[in-house]
Amino acid sequence: MDKQVLLYEGKAKKVYATEDPGALIVAYKDDATAFNGLKKGSIAGKGVINNQMTNYFMTLLEREGVPTHFLRELSERETLVKRVTIVPLEVIVRNIAAGSFSKRYGVEEGVVFDRPTIEFSYKNDELGDPLLNTSHALALHLATEAEIDTIRTLSLRVNEVLRTFWAQCGVTLVDFKLEFGRLGDGTIVLADEISPDTCRLWDAATGKKLDKDRFRRDLGGVEDAYAEVMGRLRNHDAR
Ligand code: TMP
Ligand code: ASP
């Protein structure tokens, strides 16, 4: 499958058309941004790790009954995916208070919730991805009620699968962001990526941050953290 026209270049990925109208190629870059593009940098090797980690989890999730856009890995940085229309909602699932939740509600980072929380942001860079509720999403025609129900159910299922997996690697899944898409027939499938860019991952023993917060917060050791979690994932299967 060959890359044809560049359809879209985002902050961390490029998307190309292919000769198959139903398939796209996603190419992962090492570029990193934070705070809606205000902070810019690069994380060496990130594109390879994010591509491989995402594909590993998409495969695992398919096995666990979560439909995804994944078709096949083409190279270290490139993957063939089903063409979808992205639902303009960022779905954030949290197990532990951190990041914007802690800031917004004045809760110390690390407070463990009784049950996972789920929230939606409007995927719109110009507006800075504002938080919204279900009735706002319906008013804006971002998705139907049935689609939002499906997205909620699938996201909580993803949380259970990922949380269990990472726990077996000695990693605590604090929170993560998902995006969903619609296939031509309207089926909702998981899209985008699942990586240290989009998940908070803390070492279960020490609490050390092993994700993009090292970049966002200038904590250093960014490349090492990405390599560490990828190594844990590989060791999981070697056992
Ligand atoms: P937050 O606490 O900053 O709202 O982030 C929640 C989760 O979402 C965290 O795991 C990082 C991820 N995330 C993204 O994937 N993309 C983004 O643009 C932001 C702000 C967060
Ligand atoms: N990728 C997002 C941006 O550039 C933010 C983030 O991951 O923190 O704004």
Side-chain angles (χ1 to χ4, degrees):
M1 192 68 69
D2 291 324
K3 294 199 289 270
Q4 294 184 340
V5 190
L6 175 66
L7 293 181
Y8 169 80
E9 177 156 8
K11 287 177 274 203
K13 298 188 285 295
K14 292 183 190 179
V15 179
Y16 296 89
T18 68
E19 59 264 30
D20 176 353
L24 302 174
I25 292 174
V26 179
Y28 287 74
K29 307 188 284 185
D30 285 349
D31 298 351
T33 65
F35 315 118
N36 202 13
L38 279 180
K39 182 181 172 81
K40 288 191 175 67
S42 171
I43 301 172
K46 170 171 91 80
V48 173
I49 289 175
N50 287 7
N51 183 41
Q52 294 176 346
M53 189 180 289
T54 297
N55 294 341
Y56 183 93
F57 285 133
M58 293 288 178
T59 305
L60 174 64
L61 287 163
E62 287 274 358
R63 269 207 313 268
E64 297 288 339
V66 176
T68 80
H69 71 164
F70 178 69
L71 287 170
R72 72 188 152 88
E73 191 164 289
L74 299 175
S75 70
E76 273 194 330
R77 288 176 185 270
E78 291 179 350
T79 292
L80 191 69
V81 300
K82 294 177 188 167
R83 184 192 274 265
V84 299
T85 312
I86 291 287
V87 177
L89 291 173
E90 300 205 343
V91 185
I92 295 160
V93 180
R94 302 178 190 268
N95 297 304
I96 297 178
S100 68
F101 186 99
S102 289
K103 202 168 164 201
R104 181 175 301 114
Y105 303 117
V107 181
E108 206 181 320
E109 287 207 324
V111 172
V112 180
F113 301 140
D114 295 341
R115 62 184 66 181
T117 71
I118 183 161
E119 73 204 39
F120 300 112
S121 290
Y122 180 17
K123 186 174 157 63
N124 183 319
D125 282 343
E126 270 167 45
L127 299 175
D129 298 339
L131 189 67
L132 48 62
N133 64 26
T134 303
S135 56
H136 296 157
L138 293 172
L140 294 167
H141 300 296
L142 304 183
T144 66
E145 209 155 4
E147 286 176 335
I148 293 174
D149 279 351
T150 301
I151 286 172
R152 196 184 293 276
T153 304
L154 292 175
S155 298
L156 294 173
R157 178 78 191 126
V158 171
N159 185 44
E160 290 312 313
V161 173
L162 295 185
R163 192 157 65 148
T164 303
F165 178 89
W166 280 123
Q168 290 163 354
C169 304
V171 172
T172 304
L173 178 63
V174 175
D175 58 32
F176 56 93
K177 186 264 299 181
L178 300 176
E179 294 183 23
F180 290 85
R182 295 180 191 98
L183 297 178
D185 67 359
T187 308
I188 293 285
V189 298
L190 181 63
D192 197 48
E193 66 180 280
I194 301 175
S195 72
D197 273 20
T198 61
C199 302
R200 284 198 174 91
L201 302 167
W202 294 354
D203 181 90
T206 64
K208 184 176 176 190
K209 295 183 193 340
L210 299 173
D211 57 66
K212 194 178 168 189
D213 270 350
R214 301 204 73 82
F215 170 79
R216 295 187 188 99
R217 303 181 187 188
D218 295 321
L219 299 176
V222 186
E223 280 88 358
D224 288 351
Y226 278 65
E228 173 70 30
V229 277
M230 193 62 205
R232 300 258 190 119
L233 183 149
R234 290 208 173 94
N235 281 337
H236 179 278
D237 274 15
R239 285 202 296 257

